[in-house]
Structures are given as C-alpha cells and as structure tokens.
Amino acid sequence: MIQTPLSSLVAVVVLTSVLTIPTHAKSIMKDGIERIETTSSRIHRMNDTNGYVVSSISEETLSRVSFQHIQESLNYVAGAGVQRGNGQEYLPALRSPVLTGAGGCGGILAAEDGIPLRAAGFCNINELFEAHGEMAQRIEVLKGPVSALYGANAIHGVINVVTPDTTYDDGLAAIDVGSYGFSRLKFRKGKDLGNSGIGINASVTRDTGYRDNEGVDQEKVNLRHRFAWAKSSITTGFTYTHLNQDTAGYIEGFESYKNKALAQSNLNPEAFRKASSMRLWSKYKTQSDGNYALSITPYLRKQSMDFRMHFLPGKPLEENAQQGVGVLSQLNYVLSPTFSIDVGIDAEYTEGELLQYQTGETEGSAFLVETVPVGEHYNYDVNATLVAPFTALTWHQDDWKLSLGARYEQMHYDYTNNMIAGRTRDDGTTCGFGGCRYSRPESAENTFHNFSPKFNASYQYSDQVQFYGGVSRGYRAPQATELYRLQREQQVADLDSVTATNYEVGVKGKTQQGRYVLSLYRMLKENVIYRNSDFFNVNDGETLHQGVELTVNHGLSDKLSLDFAGTYARHTYEHSQLLGEVDIQGNVIDTAPKVQTNTRLRYVFSDAVTSELEWQYVSRYFTDAENLNEYEGHHLLHARIHYALSSKVSLFARINNLLDVNYAERADFTSFSGPRYFPGRPRNVMLSVSLVL
C-alpha cells in the first residue's frame, strides 16, 4: 500500500554512509583527555555541556540482572515506573503516570544508539522491544523535556539503549536458563584490524511463559564496522530484531491476581504479536585539535507488525508498517575559551501504512454486533516529512556553566484514505444504532510547527558538590493514529501539538563513599490529547506533574554497598472533564503511584563471589480517573549471586520474587470489565554461564 518507492532514498543512505560518528563510548584525544559520548549529545565531550542529567544503567548491572523484560532494569532509574504487560509488552512511565490510551503513545522517546526506534509520528507504545537491551553496553535515561536535542516525542524524556562497539578484540558467549521454559543464548565477537574492525552482537530468546498459551520467540542482532583515519572515523551499524509472541491478556475480577489459578489463566488464547524491525546507519565523526567536532548520521529504518487486538470488540487484526530514511547532525564549535556553540539539523522522511480488519462477527450485545462489522475498519497510508534545525550556546567560566538552546521543528503528514470515508461498513452500507464504531476521515494533509527553547545553569560549589537548574519546553505533534483513526461521529480531528513546560533544580555530588543526585521538578502539560465521552480525539486536556527524585550509590564498608533510586511524585488532572457524575479536575491521574523505590544491597564475600538483595516497592495507586478504584501496591524481593570461576568463566544465580508474593505488574479498571490485571510471575529462578572469548 505504500505509494512512493524508497529505492532512491536507500541509495542516498548508502552514498552518504561515510557521514557519521562512532558510538564507541570513549575516545582519547590528542591532548590525552578522555572524552565521553552520552545520550545528552552526539559529540564526544570532556563533560556534558548541554545541561542534561543522564541516568545510566551499566553493562555490569545489566549482566548481573540479565533481564527477561527491559522493565526489570528500568526499575533502577528514579522516576521511571514502567509497567510490564505480557510477553515483551509494556506501558511506559517517566516522570509521568503510566502512559496509555489516546495521547499516551509518543510521550517518551525510545532510541538505540541515539537513533529513534520509530519515526516521530508513528510511535508504538511497546517499541523498546525493538532495541537490543539484552546485550547493551548501557541504557541511558534523560528525564524531562529533551526536545531541544531530540525533538518530538521526548516530552517526558529519552530512553536510549547503547549497544557495544564490537569492532575490537573481545567476545562473549553465554546461556541463561530459567523457570517456565525461559532460555537465552548470547554471543558477541569482534575483530580489531587496526584502523578498522568488525563485530557481531546477537541473542536468541525462548520463553514458554507462566500463563496458559503464552510464549515469546525473539531474535536480535547488531552488526558493526569501524574505519578511522587521522582525526576522523566512520562507524556503520545494522540492527535486526524479530518477535513472535503468543499473548495472554488481562485477567478480570477484584484482586484476581491473588488467585493462582486465575493468575495463570489466559482468556485470550487467540492473541498474538508478530513484529520485525531493521535499522541501517552510518556515523561520520571528525574533529580538530580543539576548535570543532562534527557528527553526521544518515540512517534507514523499516518495521512491520501484525497483532490481534484482543482488547477490542470483535478482536480485529491490525497490520502496520513503516519505512523511511533520515539524518542526524551536530557541529560543536569553540568560539573562545568560555563560549562554544552547537548547531545541527535533523530530517526524516517516512512512509507508513495501517490496515485494521475483522474476519468474524462481533460477540456481545446487539449494539456491538451491529456497530462493529466484519470487514475492513481502516486502510490508509501516511507519508510524513520532518525537518528540524537546532542550536545551543554554552558559556563556561570558573565554576559556572550556562546553556541556552532552541529547536524548531516542522512535521508534515500526507494522508491517503484507501476506503470509503465516514462511519460505514467497507462496502458503503450503514450500520444501525446511528452508525458504525469506526470513522475514516477524507484524505488530507496536516502540518505542525513547534519551537522548543531550553535554558540550563550549573554551579560547581566544590569539588564534591554541583548545583543545577533549568527550564525547558517539550512538545510532540499528534500521532498519525490520533489524526486518522477516528470513532463514531468524528470526521476530522482538529488537534494541536501537546506542549510541556518543565522547571527543575537539583544537586549532585560525590562523597568518600559514593555519589548522589537529588532533583525536584514541576512540569505542566497543555493540549493533552484524550478521547472524550463522545469518543472524539480532542486535546484540551491539562495535567500537572511534580516530584522529587533521589539516587544514591553508597559504600557502607569495604564489602557492603547500597544503591537506592526513589521518587515521590504527584500527577494530577488540571482540566475539567465529567466522567459519569465526577469532574476529574484536581484528581490524581490513574496508574500514578506516589512512591516508587528500588534498593539494592550488595555484599562482596571475596574477589570471586558477590551477592545482591534487591527490594522493589510500588505504592498504592488509583486505577480510574474518578479515583474510585485502586490497587494496593506491592513489595518484591529479588536475590542474586555471582561466582567468578576464573578470569573468563562466571556463574550467576538469580531468584526473582523471592517471597513468592501475589501481585499485579499492572492494575487497571474499565466500566465494561471492572478491575483487571496483568498478574506478576510467582517465584522463579535463572541460572547463567558466561564465557569471555
């Protein structure tokens, strides 16, 4: 259904593959100072001049956890409250309630090696399963609006999976085996050829699952090539992922997750998800002795996904796909010993398509049977073009650092409806009860313009203590599905971009025993998109997000250490909206725990043996916007031990949910089903063997 071939654009990517910056984490410059490249920039820097605080989950931590789902590692980031669904599915949260429904997708930008996993207008709420987090060098998280650098969708922050540079002489082979049929093979190998190198990073996962008729088959691979000369380098990377998942849906009934038979059941054995993704990129980086550094990164991206929408009446099938090309760029130029400037332009062209159809009659009331018909519900193409220049000016003198930046972004959609417009059946006949559930707008074009300023300041109070603060504006244009996937009587979605204004202050520092970061933030979101009581997509919503976050890494003794990440937050509706007889203005947003903490206590028995005990806490939260229903929260304990048999062979043992607590990964409430849950797994174990090659 995609109308414009991409062969010429693919050729552009191949021809410009000499334009890039490597994602190797460290680079030693001529002056001998180590520069670090992080998610907060595309340039190798001696320090972070963009004013972002980056939370990083290290390769050592990722190896120790060997997560079955990326949510397990994101628990280590203060302010992140990702809720696991079934299989590899999840709902994200970062300084936010759990994001779901209309307006939820696209609130957090997900990336691998700095390249967004999805095009700006084509997000998927579960898109992190397309990143190779299982074999990452680290996972970095930026919190709050990061739109000045990343643009649309980075409204609550960025989660960036950084894959290892495998073009050097190192390697790894490992196997994980766990409860409920879980197994994973891992392999990493590289070859350093001097000024060049090649490498592979791969994993294969099989998980038959705890619940009936569920399971995950997943394969991921990263290929990389490096070539360097003088002060320039080119690194080319390729990522491919494939997911074949049999999905278990919600269980229903108040606290049904406490009943082991119900928790293990699957009311949706027909549900599935099949997805594949491919990304090809090439990064060119060059620099002078100190005046400038340049990176340019063209990329090609392609995805497709089929899944059964088991949560909707009639359980339709959705088939969606997208393919496109883009480029990221950044130039850092040193104007004087105290001033530097960053400029760049990002551009992207994407062709997307979506088909939703139903093969069997809807079950249920006469209203549902009549208004949710057999046949095609939606069938459309969307071509999207994004252009975004940005700049930032940084002043750094003595103990002060100030940064002022801005980004302008234009997003243009060209939408083609491949069906009869309106709320009819696919053959043009009308449904009873006033019309069919699904409504298709006429073909159209929509353009959105956004401007995102940002100001940051930091003061180095001493060698151990730094104060920082800033104000920033984030945004995201409406997603294609919010504009063109309408319901009931809505024929046009007259939507504006969602915007957010964020204020933040904090302190970070070092002690003799460790380090800490304390942050306070207040963010007001306007033009929030939601579906109203008439089932229209509208964006006159307003929400307020306030919180305090604390991260501590502290050595209690030579053998005992403590890691803590916690947040206290309040997320509220600020607009007036009647749900039933309740005006939700001032209510706490549903699925927004006030308190979430993660505490890890690590004890080193010897050079060869290390143990860890983890306590995860999620407080009580409301499951509906009316604040009439709630989930009681939970405490979980996990235990791990690592035994290094030699410098090359390691054994790991892990017990998750040590006390065998009955809990819900996600709790929800709807007027149709009442309370519903994704139950958490009972006590389960994993054993691993890792060999350094």
Side-chain angles (χ1 to χ4, degrees):
M1 291 185 293
I2 292 180
Q3 298 174 335
T4 306
L6 279 171
S7 57
S8 59
L9 294 173
V10 173
V12 171
V13 170
V14 174
L15 290 172
T16 57
S17 65
V18 294
L19 301 177
T20 356
I21 159 185
T23 55
H24 188 48
K26 299 181 179 180
S27 176
I28 304 299
M29 315 294 275
K30 182 178 179 180
D31 55 13
I33 299 175
E34 186 179 69
R35 262 68 170 178
I36 305 296
E37 181 186 341
T38 72
T39 299
S40 64
S41 177
R42 301 164 189 164
I43 301 290
H44 287 217
R45 299 179 182 275
M46 183 174 61
N47 47 40
D48 178 15
T49 60
N50 281 314
Y52 299 110
V53 177
V54 181
S55 299
S56 184
I57 307 166
S58 68
E59 184 173 16
E60 177 186 1
T61 299
L62 293 172
S63 297
R64 189 162 54 241
V65 176
S66 192
F67 63 76
Q68 299 180 21
H69 191 287
I70 196 168
Q71 173 258 354
E72 299 169 56
S73 65
L74 293 174
N75 287 335
Y76 297 167
V77 177
V82 177
Q83 288 191 346
R84 182 175 179 176
N86 187 251
Q88 290 298 299
E89 297 176 355
Y90 68 93
L91 292 173
L94 186 61
R95 288 190 175 177
S96 69
V98 168
L99 302 175
T100 183
C105 187
I108 301 168
L109 189 142
E112 183 180 82
D113 297 321
I115 299 172
L117 296 173
R118 293 288 181 120
F122 301 87
C123 70
N124 180 274
I125 201 74
N126 304 285
E127 58 200 24
L128 272 171
F129 65 56
E130 295 176 349
H132 204 170
E134 297 87 344
M135 294 284 284
Q137 176 181 311
R138 63 188 185 275
I139 299 175
E140 294 185 334
V141 179
L142 278 68
K143 291 173 281 191
V146 198
S147 296
L149 178 64
Y150 279 92
N153 295 20
I155 198 165
H156 280 281
V158 175
I159 300 174
N160 184 31
V161 175
V162 181
T163 62
D165 187 343
T166 54
T167 63
Y168 294 88
D169 288 332
D170 58 3
L172 171 74
I175 182 170
D176 301 328
V177 179
S179 303
Y180 308 115
F182 181 87
S183 64
R184 179 181 291 136
L185 296 175
K186 304 176 184 177
F187 178 77
R188 178 183 300 154
K189 185 61 178 174
K191 182 62 176 177
D192 186 0
L193 303 173
N195 289 334
S196 64
I198 56 174
I200 184 173
N201 188 50
S203 65
V204 177
T205 301
R206 299 290 182 263
D207 186 2
T208 56
Y210 160 65
R211 300 177 62 190
D212 298 338
N213 301 305
E214 72 158 312
V216 169
D217 292 348
Q218 191 170 41
E219 302 84 34
K220 300 181 179 182
V221 62
N222 308 113
L223 303 176
R224 188 165 294 195
H225 177 268
R226 166 182 54 85
F227 178 69
W229 70 100
K231 294 182 179 296
S232 302
S233 62
I234 301 170
T235 300
T236 300
F238 174 81
T239 295
Y240 174 78
T241 72
H242 175 260
L243 173 68
N244 186 0
Q245 174 178 300
D246 293 323
T247 308
Y250 285 102
I251 59 172
E252 299 176 357
F254 179 66
E255 294 189 344
S256 54
Y257 61 89
K258 293 183 177 181
N259 184 312
K260 288 189 179 294
L262 287 175
Q264 197 168 358
S265 66
N266 179 10
L267 302 178
N268 304 103
E270 75 288 346
F272 72 91
R273 184 183 296 268
K274 295 181 179 179
S276 63
S277 70
M278 181 274 291
R279 291 178 298 279
L280 173 66
W281 51 265
S282 190
K283 296 188 174 184
Y284 166 77
K285 172 241 178 177
T286 189
Q287 59 196 14
S288 70
D289 289 336
N291 289 334
Y292 73 89
L294 171 69
S295 77
I296 306 176
T297 308
Y299 58 88
L300 168 69
R301 181 172 51 205
K302 184 175 183 179
Q303 284 121 349
S304 64
M305 182 165 62
D306 302 342
F307 74 101
R308 178 71 63 186
M309 305 177 76
H310 59 276
F311 43 85
L312 292 180
K315 301 178 181 179
L317 184 71
E318 178 183 319
E319 300 175 1
N320 65 70
Q322 59 177 277
Q323 56 183 342
V325 295
V327 62
L328 306 174
S329 65
Q330 184 176 356
L331 170 67
N332 173 250
Y333 191 82
V334 178
L335 300 172
S336 72
T338 56
F339 280 100
S340 66
I341 188 171
D342 288 275
V343 295
I345 186 167
D346 299 342
E348 189 172 78
Y349 174 75
T350 304
E351 296 173 345
E353 60 185 51
L354 185 142
L355 171 66
Q356 178 184 314
Y357 62 94
Q358 188 172 312
T359 57
E361 284 197 0
T362 302
E363 297 180 0
S365 67
F367 174 80
L368 286 177
V369 171
E370 177 64 20
T371 59
V372 184
V374 172
E376 292 187 358
H377 300 156
Y378 302 103
N379 184 340
Y380 64 74
D381 302 327
V382 180
N383 297 337
T385 305
L386 180 148
V387 179
F390 66 91
T391 186
L393 182 65
T394 300
W395 175 79
H396 187 189
Q397 186 170 357
D398 298 328
D399 298 321
W400 284 95
K401 184 191 301 180
L402 306 179
S403 179
L404 179 64
R407 181 187 184 97
Y408 167 78
E409 185 166 295
Q410 176 181 287
M411 168 68 83
H412 178 77
Y413 294 112
D414 185 356
Y415 156 74
T416 302
N417 176 29
N418 299 316
M419 294 180 63
I420 299 171
R423 55 183 304 198
T424 67
R425 296 184 178 92
D426 59 4
D427 62 2
T429 60
T430 60
C431 296
F433 296 95
C436 300
R437 177 186 181 116
Y438 301 111
S439 176
R440 300 168 294 272
E442 297 276 4
S443 298
E445 296 187 27
N446 299 91
T447 303
F448 299 90
H449 304 270
N450 289 287
F451 178 72
S452 176
K454 179 180 183 295
F455 173 75
N456 279 90
S458 66
Y459 175 66
Q460 194 70 39
Y461 177 75
S462 68
D463 290 342
Q464 290 76 36
V465 179
Q466 182 187 84
F467 296 98
Y468 66 92
V471 57
S472 58
R473 185 175 188 268
Y475 63 88
R476 77 165 181 88
Q479 302 295 293
T481 53
E482 295 164 350
L483 290 167
Y484 310 123
R485 204 174 187 176
L486 306 182
Q487 292 191 25
R488 309 295 175 101
E489 295 181 1
Q490 189 171 22
Q491 298 299 309
V492 176
D494 185 16
L495 301 178
D496 293 325
S497 296
V498 181
T499 61
T501 303
N502 183 71
Y503 301 90
E504 180 173 357
V505 295
V507 57
K508 55 184 177 180
K510 299 178 291 183
T511 67
Q512 290 183 343
Q513 292 78 32
R515 60 188 185 276
Y516 62 89
V517 180
L518 175 66
S519 302
L520 294 87
Y521 67 90
R522 184 183 190 274
M523 183 171 74
L524 180 66
K525 286 175 66 177
E526 299 176 290
N527 299 328
V528 174
I529 297 173
Y530 63 94
R531 183 163 286 153
N532 67 14
S533 57
D534 294 322
F535 290 83
F536 281 31
N537 287 343
V538 298
N539 71 334
D540 57 359
E542 187 173 296
T543 58
L544 181 63
H545 310 270
Q546 304 174 87
V548 55
E549 298 165 352
L550 176 63
T551 301
V552 176
N553 308 105
H554 186 73
L556 301 173
S557 70
D558 291 341
K559 294 183 176 295
L560 190 64
S561 62
L562 176 72
D563 295 330
F564 174 84
T567 182
Y568 176 86
R570 182 174 172 83
H571 308 283
T572 54
Y573 297 104
E574 298 300 305
H575 65 281
S576 180
Q577 179 188 358
L578 284 177
L579 293 179
E581 298 181 354
V582 178
D583 188 341
I584 65 172
Q585 187 174 26
N587 279 11
V588 175
I589 301 176
D590 54 286
T591 327
K594 284 186 179 180
V595 179
Q596 295 184 82
T597 64
N598 184 278
T599 307
R600 287 166 287 155
L601 193 64
R602 186 176 304 110
Y603 187 78
V604 179
F605 288 94
S606 67
D607 291 342
V609 181
T610 304
S611 64
E612 183 177 76
L613 184 66
E614 177 185 340
W615 170 37
Q616 179 188 347
Y617 171 61
V618 176
S619 72
R620 184 183 303 270
Y621 58 84
F622 292 110
T623 56
D624 59 354
E626 300 94 320
N627 290 182
L628 300 176
N629 297 274
E630 61 183 11
Y631 170 65
E632 65 182 358
H634 57 256
H635 300 261
L636 297 176
L637 285 178
H638 313 299
R640 308 179 185 95
I641 189 166
H642 168 222
Y643 178 33
L645 291 176
S646 69
S647 61
K648 292 191 174 183
V649 180
S650 293
L651 302 179
F652 298 87
R654 309 169 186 88
I655 305 177
N656 297 316
N657 193 1
L658 182 64
L659 301 182
D660 201 22
V661 173
N662 297 321
Y663 74 102
E665 293 279 7
R666 169 167 170 75
D668 191 22
F669 182 92
T670 72
S671 58
F672 299 103
S673 66
R676 59 181 188 172
Y677 309 92
F678 279 119
R681 290 192 178 194
R683 182 190 299 119
N684 58 93
V685 301
M686 181 191 293
L687 302 175
S688 303
V689 180
S690 177
L691 171 65
V692 176
L693 300 177

